[in-house]
Amino acid sequence: MRTSFSPRPPMGWNSWDCFGTTVTEEEVLANARFLAEHLLPFGWDTIVIDIDWSDPTARSHGYNDAAPLCMDDHGRLVPDPGRFPSAAGGRGFAPLAERIHALGLRFGIHTMRGIPRRALTADALILGTDARASDVADPHNVCEWNPDMVGLDHSHPAAQAYYDSTLALYAGWGVDFIKADDMLWPYQAADIEAYARAIERTGRPIELSLSPGRDLSLAQLEHLREHATMWRICDDLWDRWEDIEANFARFARWAPHASPRGWPDGDMLPLGRIGIRAERGEARQDRLTPAERVSLLTLWYIGRSPLMLGGDLPTSDPATIALLQNAEALAVHRDSIGNRELFREGDTVLWGAEHADGTRFAAVFNLADAPRELVLDVRALAFEGGGAITELWTSEPLRAEAVTEQSDAARGVAPGSRAVRLALPAHGAALLRCDPADGAALIRRRVHGAGRRAVHSQA
């Protein structure tokens, strides 16, 4: 039923981690301009406005009961013109979407499962039917964490008509991406199917992201692939090492199933300046250490998760922005296949992946609270028979030492193999590339890189 297949995991920016429910049009445009100028050449191409863009009373650190959400006569939410001035006069997000498209970017919005309580209070007429909101509402299936919406009774045909009319409105604005929330915990199969059907009926290739992902089971994999572009595999992720570490096990389950048929999502990247008016915490540059930022990105890249930046880009630390511009590391995210956990024992985790040209990739993680020196057999990294090895975050070549006899200096590496030595900081990671021994992949990358530089110089 999906109308849009994504050949690579979606990448972009989302307003939640920095502005919560309160983002304004000018803040969206400031981040869009920054993304287009500094990150679009590296694949970051989508701008997403998160929850409560229709609430004129939105505030930091939570939601408002009985919020006076802006909606039309048919119970469909529309932008608050106070925060989004270009939406005045019933224009919705169309003018903002046009400006974002003009930057070469895609435009996305957050939506919630169900129908607004305000539509039920007004008993709004469902567009294209003679049914009212009270006919389709299911007050027994409501969101557990947000007060705005009531569930839909999908045994009534006007429930589908409500989603159809809502998605037709949003498609008419030029929406390319929708983050549909309250879909996965608990798993709302009827809503997922109805929402995907409504997107298909618009005729517009809108990518569908499902949230929030708590306790999501692999038993739902085929259903998710049939209906969504991406789906969360965890609850909200914040700038805490314990949140990142908890996702190692989830990625180990889900990453082998990532493909253009659908992308398991480890949630937004809480990097840069966050918490400005967010749900959690105060304004800050994220509280992760430099090593933890590298580990976060390494896991998301090798796991091929969608990448949605959570920080306010214009005011984020330049060192963080520089991490997001590492083309060699991002190539692992874009091009690798066979992504999987190879080893997890104690505080050491190894991941592996390949490229169709024979290049191999590995990620090495130190989960310990102290620095560690590791000696790894190239065969444990699936690098046997390969050529030059490069650490992609530093662009430093690594020497693979031939081991001729057993010794404490290369414990765990058998004679006849080669050993790679890594010094990793606490909660640190390395992202490695092993070129094929014949060097063909290096030539391919040089040609591809020259082509990209030519394209950008002509733009």
Side-chain angles (χ1 to χ4, degrees), residues 24 29 53 80 97 117 143 162 168 183 223 228 257 261 263 269 272 288 290 294 344 350 365 370 384 396 399 403 417:
T24 67
L29 286 170
W53 39 263
D80 164 33
R117 291 182 186 273
C143 181
Y162 176 72
M183 289 289 198
H223 189 260
H257 306 286
R261 296 181 62 196
W263 304 103
L269 305 172
L288 300 174
V294 168
R344 180 168 184 162
L350 308 181
F365 299 93
E384 65 271 25
E396 294 293 331
R399 189 164 67 93
V403 175
S417 187

Side-chain angles (χ1 to χ4, degrees), residues 368-398:
D369 297 334
R372 297 175 61 217
E373 293 190 1
L374 301 176
V375 181
L376 300 169
D377 192 323
V378 291
R379 293 177 294 194
L381 302 170
F383 282 0
E384 65 271 25
I389 300 173
T390 304
E391 204 290 312
L392 299 181
W393 291 113
T394 61
S395 299
E396 294 293 331
L398 294 182

